[in-house]
């Protein structure tokens, strides 16, 4: 099953806490994880968060500035954000292809939310609670999104994730999904924002970050080139700098 790694945590900053939690059973075809990222006190210097290439969609809540929240954009290359010296973010990471709501965008860590979802009210409801209690609030919110058809299981990506070991090309992906390549192109673009080739590249890279060798690259140099193009680092340098 697809188990994405959404970020690299700097190994040299133990004061930064990053916790993941699985959603309730009935939401596991929609939500991958609930996430809590925060500092333990004030850091001596600014912290840069390395967001990896990811086909998942996120809703992000800034617990230190409750006007800031939003829906993140999917990305095929890595992004680095300066989070400053003190921060606390609570996130929902949705599985690829399930988001059906308002358009996602970047820049949400430094601008107030102005969309139609009740994210600011929810950010206030999360305030002052421990992460375990926050998960219950987030689960109730996802249930509302399901009822409003803002998120929904994606049968195409579900089939792809169930047969990851059998997929090596876009043609394999189309066959597993029981679609023509043209239908796959249209469906993935509409539901994930990615063309099939780019979607496959992100999935392969995520498998490699998980230490999986089920999707081998053509050779080691091909993997290193692809990894560096997507993240800006060689695999060796990345593993030395970040904890994934």
């Amino acid at each position: 099953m697809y188990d994405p790694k959404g970020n690299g945590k700097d190994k040299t900053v133990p004061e930064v806490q990053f916790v993941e939690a699985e959603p309730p059973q009935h939401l596991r075809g929609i939500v991958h994880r609930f996430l809590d990222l925060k500092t333990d006190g004030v850091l001596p210097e600014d912290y840069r968060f390395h967001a990896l290439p990811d086909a998942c969609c996120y809703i992000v809540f800034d617990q230190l500035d409750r006007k800031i929240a939003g829906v993140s954009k999917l990305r095929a290359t890595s992004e680095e954000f300066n989070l400053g010296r003190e921060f606390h973010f609570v996130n929902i990471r949705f599985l690829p292809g399930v988001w059906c709501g308002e358009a996602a965008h970047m820049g949400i860590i430094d601008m107030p939310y102005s969309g139609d979802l009740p994210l600011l009210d929810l950010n206030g409801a999360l305030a002052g609670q421990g992460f375990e209690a926050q998960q219950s609030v987030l689960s109730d919110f996802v249930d509302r999104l399901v009822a409003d058809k803002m998120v929904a299981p994606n049968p195409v990506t579900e089939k792809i994730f169930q047969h990851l070991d059998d997929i090596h090309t876009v043609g394999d992906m189309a066959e597993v999904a029981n679609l023509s390549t043209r239908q796959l192109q249209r469906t993935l673009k509409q539901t994930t924002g990615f063309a099939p080739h780019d979607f496959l590249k992100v999935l392969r890279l995520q498998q490699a970050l998980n230490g999986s060798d089920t999707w081998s690259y053509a050779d080691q140099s091909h993997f290193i080139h692809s990894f560096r193009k997507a993240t800006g680092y060689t695999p060796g340098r990345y593993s030395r700098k970040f904890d994934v």
Side-chain angles (χ1 to χ4, degrees):
M1 189 62 180
Y2 183 50
D3 186 19
K5 297 285 187 181
N7 74 95
K9 177 180 177 294
D10 196 324
K11 290 182 177 179
T12 63
V13 188
E15 297 85 2
V16 176
Q17 301 178 30
F18 182 77
V19 181
E20 297 182 297
E22 289 190 343
Q25 186 66 41
H26 74 284
L27 293 178
R28 291 186 185 178
I30 292 174
V31 174
H32 175 253
R33 295 285 190 273
F34 297 128
L35 314 171
D36 187 47
L37 174 67
K38 64 181 179 181
T39 51
D40 182 14
V42 181
L43 303 177
E45 58 185 26
D46 288 354
Y47 179 84
R48 294 192 176 273
F49 178 81
H50 193 85
L52 294 166
D54 200 345
C56 294
C57 189
Y58 292 71
I59 295 183
V60 180
F61 302 94
D62 186 340
Q63 288 283 276
L64 298 188
D65 186 343
R66 295 171 202 160
K67 299 185 301 296
I68 295 178
V71 185
S72 75
K73 182 180 178 181
L74 311 174
R75 55 195 180 275
T77 56
S78 64
E79 299 275 352
E80 289 199 15
F81 302 98
N82 185 346
L83 301 186
R85 300 187 180 189
E86 188 175 19
F87 49 84
H88 184 187
F89 294 98
V90 176
N91 303 348
I92 305 171
R93 181 196 287 149
F94 293 97
L95 286 166
V98 306
W99 181 254
C100 312
E102 65 184 39
H105 57 85
M106 297 299 282
I108 56 178
I109 65 168
D110 57 5
M111 56 189 295
Y113 178 68
S114 58
D116 296 329
L117 293 171
L119 300 188
L120 301 186
D121 290 341
L122 186 62
N123 208 3
L126 294 169
Q129 300 196 52
F131 185 44
E132 185 172 349
Q134 288 176 335
Q135 293 170 49
S136 178
V137 176
L138 296 174
S139 294
D140 289 344
F141 177 61
V142 176
D143 285 333
R144 289 165 54 194
L145 293 177
V146 172
D148 293 340
K149 303 187 186 313
M150 301 288 285
V151 294
N154 186 320
V156 172
T157 53
E158 280 185 351
K159 289 177 183 176
I160 291 170
F161 299 149
Q162 289 167 4
H163 297 88
L164 286 182
D165 292 354
D166 303 319
I167 297 174
H168 303 280
T169 67
V170 171
D172 294 338
M173 188 184 293
E175 183 176 354
V176 161
N178 197 27
L179 297 172
S180 69
T181 54
R182 181 169 295 184
Q183 288 172 321
L184 181 70
Q185 166 83 18
R186 183 171 60 252
T187 300
L188 285 184
K189 195 69 176 176
Q190 288 175 346
T191 62
T192 72
F194 288 107
H197 179 68
D198 291 330
F199 190 62
L200 180 58
K201 285 197 299 186
V202 172
L203 297 187
R204 289 181 66 177
L205 182 62
Q206 287 285 355
Q207 291 296 100
L209 289 167
N210 268 327
S212 172
D213 60 359
T214 56
W215 284 3
S216 60
Y217 286 75
D219 52 45
Q220 185 71 5
S221 63
H222 181 207
F223 168 65
I224 292 172
H225 174 76
S226 298
F227 190 94
R228 182 162 49 193
K229 185 176 180 180
T231 68
Y233 296 87
T234 63
R237 186 181 170 208
Y238 195 92
S239 65
R240 289 191 295 272
K241 180 173 177 57
F242 297 107
D243 178 13
V244 294

